[in-house]
Amino acid sequence: MTDQIAEPALDKTFDPAGIEAKWYAHWEQNNLFRPERPDAAPFTIVNPPPNVTGSLHIGHALDNTLQDVVIRYERLRGKDALWVVGTDHAGIATQMVVERQMEAKGDKRTSYTREQFIDKVWEWKAESGGTITGQLRRLGCSMDWSREQFTMDPHFTRAVVKVFVDLHKQGLIYRDKRLVNWDPKLKTAISDLEVETREIQGHFWHFRYPLSDGSGHIMVATTRPETMLADMAVAVNPADERYKPLLERGATVTLPITGREIPIVADEHADPELGSGAVKITPGHDFNDFEVGKRAGIEARDMLNMLDAEAKVFQTADGLIPHEFIGMDRFDARKRVVELLDADGLLEKIEDRVIQTPYGDRGGVVIEPWLTDQWYVDAKTLSIPPMEAVRNGSIEIVPKSWEKTFFNWMENIQPWCVSRQLWWGHRIPACYGPDASAGADTIYLDRQTPQSAMGTPFVGSSDAEIEEAALSYYRARGFDIDRVAIFDSFDEMHQSTRLGFDGRELPLVRDQDVLDTWFSSALWPFATLGWPDETTGAVPAQPEPVEDPSGSTAGASTSSARAVGGSNIQSASLLAKHYPNDLLVSGFDILFFWDARMAMQGIHFMKEVPWKRLYLHGLVRAADGQKMSKSKGNVVDPLGLIDQYGADALRFFMTAMESQGRDVKMDEKRVEGYRNFATKLWNAARFCQSNGIVGSTSVAAPKATSAVNRWIIGEVVETVASLDKAMADLRFDAAANAIYHFVWNQFCDWYIELIKGSFDEETKAVAGWVLDQILVMLHPFMPFVTEELWSKTGTRAHELIVAQWPAPEATVDAEAKAEVEWLIALVGNLRGAKAELGIAPGARLTAYLADPSAATRAIIERNGKAVDRLARLDAIRFEAAPAGAAMQVGAGDAMLAIPLEGVIDIAAEKARLEKAHASAIKERDSLGKRLENPAFVEKAKPDAVDKAKADHAAHTAEADRLAAALARLG
């Protein structure tokens, strides 16, 4: 073993902490997570990059455990197993962390230039940005840390810029004015994933909107009265008979407060059954209204915006909002609107209502739908190839039930907003020039030129490319431009002494926004393998600084922290060998935000799917099934569980509980149980060691003649087959349960018991070989304890992490299997019968079996010692039992009779059993009637119904057990 010598003896007590720290460091230092296997078949997975600001939570523990089980399994099967690891720069989260630290020191971001602030973020990353990677190591994740990635690494930045520029050239990225989720505190657009919906006690206000001709009014209702200041229409359903006369005569409404005259339009968005059937339409501040406005012929550029970036009232383009509202907070404006409408007698009523209200998960304030210019990806076009890939099987979604959700979302996909109003992130590679009209002689700008006048975007992968595009654009429109001056901001442009100097220098201003982090992480499966620097996958070991259209130099900084990451990516064949990836393991909650977008970008740029299979797991929930949240106080810290029970126990719990299509309910008792499982294996290995059983030198099974040895070899064969099938089907729970059952039941409970006192050379060889197979098969699930046992149960040529997956080269011996299973059934059934009847486990009894089959008789005669030692039967007589009470115990085709006279008080035991049986039946039937009652099943809390079902099943089983015990007494 590399830098490792086998130690002669196992400690008496299994202590995970020291073992875990020792072995993880050894694996990583000796590059065992990706051993040199140049000719091996590749197997590749990429880790969903956690936020650089993050720390390990229970969802990470599930996601990464499943990935590690797969990668360790494939590594043991001899694959060139690459698990790509890295972190996401997490634009909003990281900028917030650094700004909070600055605020704590009485400092703020705006005291610095953009470049100075970005340097501070890099410094923070170097000092504090690696917390979660250390925690992933504690979990045992066997990632290729030598190739650790960061989404702001120089090579990754080059990939992001290329994708943006290429998509723009292809018309798949464009500027548009649309509604976005706007966080007024952070002053940026955010994604749907960063919006959390809370139930808030609010109101539903009903207002009268006067018809412009004075003939009456139309009733509308809203939860956001302030938005009426920017209303542009009232919608009614075209099939609603009440409003057809208004539609036919083209009636309009004159808004209170603003006096704006707006049309009444027909649109199916209005529900005739809801309220008055009429809906106020504010297309600049409501997602549904935006679509209604477009259908009504209102262009986005003409939609009214009444709020600024801080959600304070802003004058609309038509100038009709009264001055008293200007600068007012949106919620103060809400109160004032209600007051004014009430004073004018236009407030009909107010209903109390629970409102589903969107909040920013980081800013913590109510999100505002806001009309603004942003960059968008044509997701509709890019979504077509991934849908076809799923349909034709190029991408397999597991569980298959998620396909319907995937198609539903993809078929109704909206343009993807990819710009964010932040400083930290990939700056959009674009500059803006002044609006131009063909035929003018010059373009003159001065210090009063507004930002809105610079509305023509130019995109390029370098400043030179942007300058060339701009010069060509303006010259083609008749402007005599000699040169271009690029300014980093509008402030810099306004302060320049060159402005307006002769009208022949074209000013361009860099885009101030950065890209959504989901845009860059969508490139993860191929940019992490070196694209686009080399199509074969090479990434320069020391990337030279390259010009970046964001205005800085990619790969260079005043802070040395920017050199971290990406410097050791040297393989020249990674992309060719490892793309497409084999598998992606992901939570279902990021199916659209990350998985679908990787599929879009991967197929578009690589012309192949990014991965062949997509496995979607559920959430880890609290023990009562509730979603975990800090506010509920039910969050579980995986590191605390590792401290208490060890990483192996937590990993095994996660794997055993991961059943396709279901969430995982947290159960600390089960984690403790799997710690006990590891301890049981440890003690079994100590038992073997103390009896001269050592590790095997053969991958194939040893020769065996005794039934028990032939049986256990066959059990290994069946377990390997079960594991392989479960892993092929991505049935993690089935895989974990297969190895658990074999270790606990077949090996520890029965094989070790059956061979006690019979340690001949054959048995030692078989037992050592079986223990080795256990360690290899269990290693993907419990890597630490298995590696430690591997190192101390024999002299090894290599570590377990790079051992060979079992290849027994043996078959199941049906005769041996039948014989041993007969013995197991006899011992197990007899022990159960003793327990039912209150007979001491060690009590020695005599059994009678008249007319046994030849096969059964032979089994009994060959296994007399085992029957005597394990079943505690001093004899099995091949004759009829004496008259009197006897319990019946079955095994195979035999039913043994065991006299009870003098063993127990038969009458008293029968009375006890009858009383307990009657009680169990009473409880069973009572619960059965409750569950048959629809009122209980439909109205009771789900937890109460589940408990009733579980109790009913338990009492049913107890009644059956007691009935069987009574039957034994005759």
Side-chain angles (χ1 to χ4, degrees), residues 208-424:
R208 301 185 189 94
Y209 277 10
L211 295 170
S212 299
D213 61 7
S215 60
H217 65 266
I218 193 167
M219 190 75 70
V220 298
T222 180
T223 60
R224 300 162 66 210
E226 70 280 7
T227 60
M228 71 158 294
L229 298 173
D231 278 355
M232 298 188 73
V234 171
V236 297
N237 194 287
D240 195 330
E241 294 293 335
R242 294 171 294 177
Y243 299 113
K244 281 189 176 180
L246 295 179
L247 292 173
E248 289 170 357
R249 72 171 192 255
T252 61
V253 165
T254 300
L255 284 177
I257 302 178
T258 63
R260 182 181 304 118
E261 187 176 352
I262 60 175
I264 298 173
V265 300
D267 196 283
E268 292 186 355
H269 170 65
D271 184 353
E273 303 299 321
L274 184 63
S276 68
V279 184
K280 62 185 285 298
I281 303 299
T282 319
H285 294 282
D286 182 275
F287 288 102
N288 289 323
D289 292 3
F290 179 80
E291 298 300 329
V292 174
K294 287 201 302 182
R295 290 194 290 270
I298 305 173
E299 297 288 340
R301 64 176 178 268
D302 298 324
M303 293 178 182
L304 298 178
N305 180 14
M306 58 163 281
L307 296 174
D308 65 12
E310 295 179 335
K312 293 179 179 179
V313 177
F314 183 82
Q315 185 59 268
T316 51
D318 59 10
L320 294 177
I321 295 180
H323 180 74
E324 69 166 301
F325 283 96
I326 306 304
M328 190 180 288
D329 176 81
R330 54 183 163 163
F331 299 119
D332 292 334
R334 175 178 300 178
K335 294 176 185 176
R336 185 58 179 152
V337 165
V338 173
E339 288 173 358
L340 291 174
L341 290 175
D342 189 20
D344 289 342
L346 299 175
L347 175 59
E348 176 73 15
K349 63 178 178 178
I350 304 174
E351 293 180 61
D352 290 333
R353 179 172 293 192
V354 174
I355 309 297
Q356 301 291 324
T357 307
Y359 278 78
D361 66 347
R362 301 188 188 281
V365 299
V366 175
I367 294 305
E368 192 67 41
W370 201 47
L371 189 64
T372 179
D373 291 300
Q374 302 282 350
W375 287 96
Y376 288 89
V377 170
D378 180 0
K380 191 74 174 175
T381 298
L382 291 177
S383 69
I384 295 171
M387 286 193 285
E388 178 58 27
V390 173
R391 289 190 181 101
N392 66 28
S394 300
I395 293 176
E396 177 191 3
I397 297 179
V398 183
K400 191 176 178 64
S401 56
W402 278 107
E403 282 189 10
K404 182 178 180 181
T405 305
F406 172 81
F407 285 122
N408 183 59
W409 187 80
M410 294 287 269
E411 288 165 357
N412 295 283
I413 199 167
Q414 297 296 309
W416 172 18
C417 176
V418 294
S419 44
R420 298 291 181 265
Q421 290 63 54
L422 304 169
W423 280 3
W424 171 245

Side-chain angles (χ1 to χ4, degrees), residues 555-771:
S557 170
T558 55
S559 167
S560 61
R562 291 205 199 183
V564 177
S567 62
N568 48 10
I569 305 169
Q570 300 176 17
S571 173
S573 59
L574 279 171
L575 194 64
K577 186 173 185 179
H578 291 279
Y579 189 94
N581 306 162
D582 292 88
L583 173 68
L584 177 71
V585 176
S586 164
F588 72 84
D589 53 335
I590 56 173
L591 171 59
F592 311 121
F593 296 98
W594 190 48
D595 307 341
R597 288 164 180 171
M598 279 190 289
M600 293 178 194
Q601 302 287 45
I603 296 174
H604 188 77
F605 284 94
M606 302 301 297
K607 310 308 177 189
E608 284 189 89
V609 298
W611 10 258
K612 301 162 190 172
R613 304 178 88 187
L614 168 61
Y615 181 84
L616 297 168
H617 60 75
L619 301 176
V620 183
R621 294 185 177 273
D624 59 3
Q626 291 191 59
K627 191 172 181 179
M628 291 185 186
S629 71
K630 291 179 181 178
S631 60
K632 293 177 183 175
N634 62 356
V635 173
V636 174
D637 178 10
L639 296 173
L641 292 172
I642 291 173
D643 289 339
Q644 191 168 1
Y645 304 110
D648 285 333
L650 177 61
R651 288 167 58 101
F652 204 91
F653 167 79
M654 290 298 183
T655 312
M657 295 297 287
E658 172 51 31
S659 179
Q660 287 183 8
R662 296 182 181 178
D663 289 339
V664 174
K665 285 187 179 180
M666 194 63 228
D667 185 347
E668 191 169 329
K669 280 294 182 185
R670 291 198 66 164
V671 180
E672 183 181 12
Y674 292 127
R675 158 67 188 267
N676 296 339
F677 171 59
T679 300
K680 190 175 182 75
L681 175 62
W682 184 271
N683 291 336
R686 288 187 67 245
F687 171 82
C688 290
Q689 192 178 64
S690 67
N691 285 281
I693 296 169
V694 297
S696 179
T697 57
S698 171
V699 175
K703 298 294 183 183
T705 57
S706 73
V708 68
N709 286 332
R710 284 155 38 220
W711 164 74
I712 197 65
I713 289 171
E715 294 299 295
V716 170
V717 171
E718 290 187 330
T719 303
V720 172
S722 295
L723 269 172
D724 285 338
K725 184 178 188 310
M727 292 301 293
D729 295 339
L730 297 177
R731 289 304 306 253
F732 292 98
D733 54 345
N737 290 332
I739 186 60
Y740 179 91
H741 176 71
F742 176 73
V743 172
W744 191 289
N745 299 113
Q746 268 70 12
F747 184 72
C748 294
D749 280 357
W750 291 112
Y751 180 69
I752 286 179
E753 288 299 313
L754 288 165
I755 65 173
K756 278 182 179 176
S758 303
F759 295 109
D760 54 31
E761 290 307 310
E762 175 190 301
T763 299
K764 286 183 180 179
V766 171
W769 177 84
V770 173
L771 182 57

Side-chain angles (χ1 to χ4, degrees), residues 419-629:
S419 44
R420 298 291 181 265
Q421 290 63 54
L422 304 169
W423 280 3
W424 171 245
H426 296 105
R427 196 165 179 180
I428 290 175
C431 291
Y432 297 92
D435 292 333
S437 300
D441 295 327
T442 60
I443 303 174
Y444 183 84
L445 297 102
D446 59 25
R447 291 174 181 80
Q448 282 71 49
T449 300
Q451 181 174 334
S452 58
M454 302 285 284
T456 304
F458 301 97
V459 172
S461 57
S462 66
D463 282 357
E465 194 173 312
I466 289 173
E467 290 170 9
E468 182 181 352
L471 287 171
S472 297
Y473 175 85
Y474 289 105
R475 287 170 179 169
R477 283 157 179 75
F479 296 103
D480 187 14
I481 304 295
D482 291 340
R483 55 197 177 276
V484 170
I486 294 181
F487 298 94
D488 194 60
S489 68
F490 288 95
D491 285 344
E492 182 183 319
M493 184 189 80
H494 289 154
Q495 293 166 11
S496 172
T497 58
R498 298 198 303 263
L499 271 178
F501 136 77
D502 63 2
R504 302 189 68 176
E505 181 175 59
L506 175 69
L508 298 179
V509 179
R510 295 190 192 282
D511 196 307
Q512 303 299 293
D513 293 348
V514 299
L515 285 162
D516 175 17
T517 55
W518 296 109
F519 183 88
S520 50
S521 62
L523 318 184
W524 198 244
F526 53 95
T528 52
L529 299 176
W531 186 92
D533 290 337
E534 297 288 343
T535 55
T536 55
V539 175
Q542 297 291 337
E544 293 296 323
V546 295
E547 187 180 17
D548 188 309
S550 67
S552 60
T553 303
S557 170
T558 55
S559 167
S560 61
R562 291 205 199 183
V564 177
S567 62
N568 48 10
I569 305 169
Q570 300 176 17
S571 173
S573 59
L574 279 171
L575 194 64
K577 186 173 185 179
H578 291 279
Y579 189 94
N581 306 162
D582 292 88
L583 173 68
L584 177 71
V585 176
S586 164
F588 72 84
D589 53 335
I590 56 173
L591 171 59
F592 311 121
F593 296 98
W594 190 48
D595 307 341
R597 288 164 180 171
M598 279 190 289
M600 293 178 194
Q601 302 287 45
I603 296 174
H604 188 77
F605 284 94
M606 302 301 297
K607 310 308 177 189
E608 284 189 89
V609 298
W611 10 258
K612 301 162 190 172
R613 304 178 88 187
L614 168 61
Y615 181 84
L616 297 168
H617 60 75
L619 301 176
V620 183
R621 294 185 177 273
D624 59 3
Q626 291 191 59
K627 191 172 181 179
M628 291 185 186
S629 71

Side-chain angles (χ1 to χ4, degrees), residues 838-913:
I839 302 172
R844 300 192 65 79
L845 304 173
T846 300
Y848 293 82
L849 176 62
D851 299 322
S853 67
T856 297
R857 187 178 189 121
I859 290 173
I860 294 171
E861 290 174 344
R862 284 196 298 266
N863 293 277
K865 289 183 179 179
V867 170
D868 177 76
R869 181 167 53 86
L870 297 178
R872 307 296 290 169
L873 290 175
D874 53 21
I876 298 178
R877 303 182 185 281
F878 299 126
E879 58 188 70
M887 64 178 177
Q888 307 295 313
V889 177
D893 62 0
M895 184 61 71
L896 286 75
I898 301 174
L900 295 175
E901 293 291 345
V903 178
I904 59 172
D905 184 333
I906 296 173
E909 184 62 20
K910 191 169 185 179
R912 182 187 71 82
L913 290 171

